């Protein structure tokens, strides 16, 4: 099977715990990636809500450098991909494709000039917030009713101009809808599930999913147990199928992808890391999903989106 994942926190764990991408024992341990015929992973630099300003930007730079070092150390098996051409080349050469992303635009440090810095380092996608509020706007866990700040509106426009995809996982409802109205390019929720299936505040309403679909964007299924089932300790692989069924019922065949949230979450016992993905894929097939649709969910939709990203 082919696998393209829109979100993991693995490179942040590698930085914090001084772990390698190979042999780490983490959910995303590239020693386990042999289960895939081709594998592309978006590696998010997560910015905790305690970091703001220049400290947040400096932290992003350290984590981005760590991913670059890992790619250099394993250049016979892995390639950093900052363009559609890079992705094509990695696939042709049989290399693991690594895409740098950001979780929380606090990484900008409140400075619009850093948008170019992020792009120059290869950032392809950026969530605007984590759960709290930052210089860009209010995350889903912060009190208040605000959405984007004036700086946030400028940042969204600058990201789109730079070719950085705007990611609305973790956004407050107000921020989500302001961006949906403002954005001129497709928007993404890289690791969010369906609120109709699990009522967690981080999940998407039907209206939010339809807005992402209308924009030409993507939604990545999150495998964190709290977002899969209202009783998290009962969450299991079957819940991922329930969320997929719901999104597909809304016409999401070209929208749905995977954003496992590995190494930043608690997946169910039967979804513990890369080695569990073939079982999930097989369950989709046993549920009578057409094989070509399963391939689109697990790989094709995300691959198409990023192949077109330069011209979107």
């Amino acid at each position: 099977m082919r696998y393209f994942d829109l979100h993991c926190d693995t490179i942040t764990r590698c930085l914090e715990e001084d772990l390698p991408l190979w042999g780490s024992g983490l959910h995303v341990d590239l020693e386990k990636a042999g289960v895939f015929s081709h594998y592309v992973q978006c590696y998010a630099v997560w910015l905790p809500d305690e970091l703001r300003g220049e400290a947040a930007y400096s932290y992003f730079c350290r984590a981005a450098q760590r991913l670059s070092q890992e790619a250099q150390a394993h250049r016979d098996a892995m390639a950093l991909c900052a363009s559609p051409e890079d992705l094509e080349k990695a696939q042709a050469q049989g290399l693991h494709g690594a895409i740098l992303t950001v979780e929380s635009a606090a990484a900008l440090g409140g400075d619009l000039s850093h948008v170019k810095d992020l792009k120059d380092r290869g950032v392809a996608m950026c969530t605007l917030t984590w759960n709290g509020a930052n210089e860009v706007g209010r995350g889903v866990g912060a009190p208040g009713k605000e959405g984007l700040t004036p700086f946030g509106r400028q940042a969204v426009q600058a990201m789109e101009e730079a070719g950085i995809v705007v990611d609305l996982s973790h956004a407050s409802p107000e921020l989500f809808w302001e961006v949906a109205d403002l954005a001129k390019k497709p928007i993404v929720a890289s690791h969010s599930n369906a609120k109709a299936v699990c009522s967690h505040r981080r999940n998407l309403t039907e209206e939010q999913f339809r807005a992402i679909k209308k924009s030409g964007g993507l939604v990545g299924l999150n495998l964190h147990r709290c977002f899969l089932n209202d009783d998290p300790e009962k969450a299991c692989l079957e819940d991922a199928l329930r969320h997929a069924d719901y999104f597909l019922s809304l016409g999401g065949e070209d929208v749905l992808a995977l954003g496992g949230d590995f190494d930043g979450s608690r997946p169910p016992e039967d979804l513990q890391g890369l080695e569990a993905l073939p079982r999930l894929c097989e369950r989709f097939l046993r549920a009578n999903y057409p094989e070509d649709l399963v391939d689109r969910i697990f790989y094709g939709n995300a691959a198409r989106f990023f192949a077109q990203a330069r011209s979107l």
Side-chain angles (χ1 to χ4, degrees):
M1 63 172 285
R2 303 186 298 173
Y3 186 54
F4 195 130
D5 190 293
L6 296 177
H7 184 87
C8 76
D9 290 282
T10 308
I11 200 60
T12 305
R13 291 279 303 275
C14 289
L15 176 67
E16 290 292 333
E17 301 173 35
D18 195 21
L19 295 170
L21 283 175
W22 266 264
S24 65
L26 296 174
H27 292 144
V28 176
D29 179 342
L30 295 182
E31 283 190 348
K32 306 171 185 176
V35 297
F36 308 122
S37 58
H38 186 54
Y39 172 37
V40 180
Q41 179 69 59
C42 293
Y43 289 93
V45 177
W46 171 62
L47 281 299
D49 281 329
E50 294 74 26
L51 280 180
R52 292 292 181 265
E54 191 62 26
Y57 174 68
S58 177
Y59 186 89
F60 158 75
C61 293
R62 288 172 53 212
Q65 181 63 23
R66 182 59 183 252
L67 183 61
S68 180
Q69 290 168 347
E70 288 289 330
Q72 181 63 24
H74 302 287
R75 56 187 176 277
D76 59 338
M78 172 183 177
L80 279 177
C81 298
S83 70
E85 292 77 16
D86 291 342
L87 285 167
E88 290 177 8
K89 186 176 179 180
Q91 182 172 12
Q93 295 179 346
L95 301 178
H96 165 53
I99 298 175
L100 179 63
T101 66
V102 172
E103 187 169 22
S104 177
L108 296 174
D111 185 342
L112 282 179
S113 71
H114 286 159
V115 172
K116 182 179 185 301
D117 298 339
L118 265 62
K119 186 62 178 178
D120 288 347
R121 288 177 179 267
V123 170
M125 180 167 63
C126 181
T127 59
L128 297 186
T129 68
W130 193 51
N131 291 331
N134 62 26
E135 297 93 337
V136 167
R138 188 172 68 87
V140 70
K145 293 292 184 181
E146 300 81 10
L148 286 169
T149 65
F151 173 81
R153 295 182 69 84
Q154 292 179 302
V156 168
Q157 293 169 333
M159 286 182 198
E160 289 198 324
E161 289 170 6
I164 296 175
V165 175
V166 174
D167 182 353
L168 291 175
S169 285
H170 289 281
S172 65
E174 293 82 2
L175 187 145
F176 181 99
W177 288 112
E178 286 186 32
V179 173
D181 289 339
L182 175 66
K184 301 185 185 310
K185 294 186 178 183
I187 52 178
V188 165
S190 66
H191 55 301
S192 295
N193 291 345
K195 193 179 287 288
V197 178
C198 173
S199 61
H200 197 285
R201 66 187 184 186
R202 270 273 286 106
N203 286 341
L204 299 171
T205 65
E206 175 183 341
E207 293 76 17
Q208 288 175 320
F209 182 83
R210 291 189 184 280
I212 293 170
K213 176 187 173 186
K214 183 178 179 180
S215 81
L218 294 174
V219 171
L221 284 178
N222 191 317
L223 303 181
H224 180 33
R225 63 182 68 193
C226 290
F227 306 152
L228 286 170
N229 193 309
D230 283 320
D231 186 344
E233 298 312 310
K234 292 182 179 179
C236 64
L237 180 152
E238 293 295 324
D239 291 313
L241 192 68
R242 293 195 301 131
H243 286 273
D245 283 341
Y246 178 77
F247 284 142
L248 291 171
S249 76
L250 302 179
E253 293 87 353
D254 296 322
V255 181
L256 192 57
L258 269 291
D261 207 2
F262 284 139
D263 296 313
S265 67
R266 291 178 62 231
E269 290 303 317
D270 55 359
L271 284 172
Q272 291 287 318
L274 294 183
E275 62 271 35
L277 273 301
R279 292 198 301 274
L280 182 61
C281 182
E282 177 60 27
R283 181 65 187 91
F284 274 66
L285 291 169
R286 285 190 286 110
N288 295 318
Y289 284 31
E291 187 171 348
D292 68 319
L293 175 58
V294 175
D295 181 66
R296 282 154 64 191
I297 294 169
F298 280 77
Y299 182 86
N301 286 339
R304 169 189 48 78
F305 180 87
F306 280 98
Q308 296 173 348
R310 176 170 289 174
S311 59
L312 288 172

